[in-house]
Amino acid sequence: MTVFDPIISKVESLVTMVRHKLLGANNERLDFLMDSFYKLDAKNKNIVLISIVASIVLFIGFTIVFYLAQINSLEDRLANSLLALQRLQERQSHHQQVHQQFTSIASEVARKSQTLQMKPLLEKIARSLAVQLEGLNESEDNLASDDPLNKYLTQRKIEVRLPRISIPKLLKFLAQVEKSPHMLRVSDLTIRSVYGTKLYFNATTTIHWYKGA
């Protein structure tokens, strides 16, 4: 006895049951149909034969049409799948190119700020413009958790106060900061008037920059 014997037995039982339903237990229904057919006259026999042949032809035709329709459907689905795969591959290729550009830029930014000492740099710019600096409070400026830069860079900031400074010198100072090759960014600029003079102001600004992670 093999593992297939129970399956074969069930199939045989199913075939026997179907045959009994259609033809009868001892093929009596088939015999009845054959007897009825032989009792017909020639004209009716021809009609029955033509009907049987037409039914077979229609069944075969329907089967072929259904088969071809399924083949066409499969071909369409295959074509759509191949097109979707091609688009996905193109997008993956584009994504890789963009990612390489992104990592290259991030590496360049990290390289430019690798040896940056912010306080000495700002003091040097201030001396060249005869500008006084105060504060210089440096701290972390955390990036958003979902920011892709997190893997490559950290962000820092420094708050700078410039007391009694004229607007032209303030603009020159900010311009010199942003012209720095270290890719510094000025933000949060606040300017307040100084009592008793219209030429000088107290200014506060925040400078941001990136360092390698």
Side-chain angles (χ1 to χ4, degrees), residues 97-154:
Q97 293 176 359
V98 173
H99 181 69
Q100 288 176 354
Q101 293 175 356
F102 174 79
T103 54
S104 176
I105 293 172
S107 298
E108 180 67 13
V109 172
R111 185 186 64 80
K112 288 185 176 182
S113 62
Q114 185 175 6
T115 59
L116 173 63
Q117 297 294 326
M118 181 56 70
K119 291 182 180 180
L121 174 64
L122 295 179
E123 289 170 350
K124 179 180 178 181
I125 296 174
R127 283 195 302 269
S128 68
L129 298 173
V131 170
Q132 181 182 354
L133 297 182
E134 293 180 354
L136 299 180
N137 299 315
E138 184 176 336
S139 62
E140 290 282 347
D141 188 17
N142 294 327
L143 296 166
S145 58
D146 57 347
D147 194 319
L149 283 174
N150 269 323
K151 292 183 179 180
Y152 309 96
L153 300 170
T154 59

Side-chain angles (χ1 to χ4, degrees), residues 166-193:
S166 65
I167 294 299
K169 282 193 174 183
L170 174 62
L171 294 178
K172 287 181 180 179
F173 175 81
L174 298 178
Q176 289 294 324
V177 168
E178 292 205 331
K179 285 181 181 178
S180 166
H182 302 291
M183 303 182 71
L184 308 180
R185 179 169 52 89
V186 175
S187 67
D188 303 326
L189 176 61
T190 303
I191 301 175
R192 291 188 174 88
S193 61

Side-chain angles (χ1 to χ4, degrees), residues 64-119:
I64 293 174
V65 170
F66 179 78
Y67 174 77
L68 293 177
Q70 292 299 311
I71 292 296
N72 290 334
S73 176
L74 288 174
E75 289 178 347
D76 291 341
R77 290 168 58 186
L78 178 60
N80 291 334
S81 298
L82 291 174
L83 180 60
L85 179 60
Q86 181 181 358
R87 290 177 178 173
L88 178 61
Q89 290 174 340
E90 291 175 353
R91 291 180 179 178
Q92 286 179 336
S93 177
H94 178 68
H95 173 74
Q96 289 176 351
Q97 293 176 359
V98 173
H99 181 69
Q100 288 176 354
Q101 293 175 356
F102 174 79
T103 54
S104 176
I105 293 172
S107 298
E108 180 67 13
V109 172
R111 185 186 64 80
K112 288 185 176 182
S113 62
Q114 185 175 6
T115 59
L116 173 63
Q117 297 294 326
M118 181 56 70
K119 291 182 180 180

Side-chain angles (χ1 to χ4, degrees), residues 129-132 162-170 191-203:
L129 298 173
V131 170
Q132 181 182 354
L162 300 100
R164 296 185 63 83
I165 187 172
S166 65
I167 294 299
K169 282 193 174 183
L170 174 62
I191 301 175
R192 291 188 174 88
S193 61
V194 176
Y195 180 75
T197 178
K198 295 183 179 180
L199 299 178
Y200 298 98
F201 301 84
N202 291 329

